[in-house]
Amino acid sequence: MPKGKKKSNNSKGLVELLTEDEDWLSPQCETALIEVFNQFDLDKDNAWSVKDMQAFAVSVNGKEFSTEELLEFKDHFPHNDNGYLTQQGFLDFYHLQSSSHPKETWKDLRKLGYDDYLTPKTSSSSTASSSSTETSATPSETEKK
């Protein structure tokens, strides 16, 4: 392998979630995640209140975040003066999750209606009523490596 080139972990032909050096989210992934953030920013103040976060959690996990999970987001990711998760905090969370658990990020994005190219599917099919009991998009699971 040429020096500086890292072999991609993506053998399924999916759009990459991270840049080649894994230093940040790929442009396609960042765009999709900003769209998601804006969709759930119910009061359009560029930060997620508890209500915004819970709406997101129900969409991807089928249930609300616990009080402990909400505190973990606040403790580990950027938030505003009101303690609300900022867009940067949301992106930082997904950078961490995509680095350590890319399948979880793909699961979340698919539940939110994105395809393998990180474009929204034409039908707005958010599968919050998934039969899976596995959850994603929680800080405690993302921090484990």
Side-chain angles (χ1 to χ4, degrees):
M1 189 177 339
K3 185 178 180 181
K5 288 277 186 177
K6 182 179 177 195
K7 185 179 176 187
S8 173
N9 293 326
N10 185 350
S11 61
K12 296 184 180 182
L14 304 172
V15 168
E16 294 290 340
L17 295 174
L18 301 171
T19 57
E20 188 172 325
D21 60 5
E22 296 188 7
D23 213 20
W24 190 242
L25 301 163
S26 71
Q28 300 95 326
C29 185
E30 184 173 8
T31 297
L33 290 171
I34 289 171
E35 290 170 359
V36 168
F37 184 88
N38 290 335
Q39 176 186 348
F40 287 93
D41 184 12
L42 302 176
D43 56 6
K44 304 302 179 202
D45 65 349
N46 207 32
W48 277 5
S49 66
V50 171
K51 183 178 179 181
D52 300 335
M53 291 185 72
Q54 297 299 29
F56 169 77
V58 169
S59 291
V60 296
N61 297 331
K63 64 179 183 175
E64 291 186 345
F65 289 125
S66 68
T67 302
E68 181 179 288
E69 289 167 332
L70 290 170
L71 289 173
E72 287 177 18
F73 270 106
K74 187 175 179 183
D75 289 345
H76 299 288
F77 299 101
H79 55 279
N80 68 13
D81 292 340
N82 294 326
Y84 297 168
L85 183 71
T86 63
Q87 184 181 83
Q88 186 61 52
F90 179 73
L91 295 174
D92 287 353
F93 167 78
Y94 268 102
H95 176 243
L96 182 61
Q97 177 172 283
S98 298
S99 297
S100 56
H101 303 290
K103 288 179 183 179
E104 292 300 316
T105 298
W106 276 112
K107 190 174 96 175
D108 294 348
L109 288 166
R110 287 190 178 107
K111 283 187 173 188
L112 293 163
Y114 286 84
D115 64 17
D116 292 352
Y117 304 101
L118 294 177
T119 55
K121 295 178 185 174
T122 52
S123 65
S124 58
S125 60
S126 178
T127 57
S129 61
S130 173
S131 60
S132 172
T133 57
E134 181 182 345
T135 61
S136 55
T138 61
S140 57
E141 287 301 311
T142 301
E143 291 174 0
K144 296 176 186 171
K145 288 193 176 186

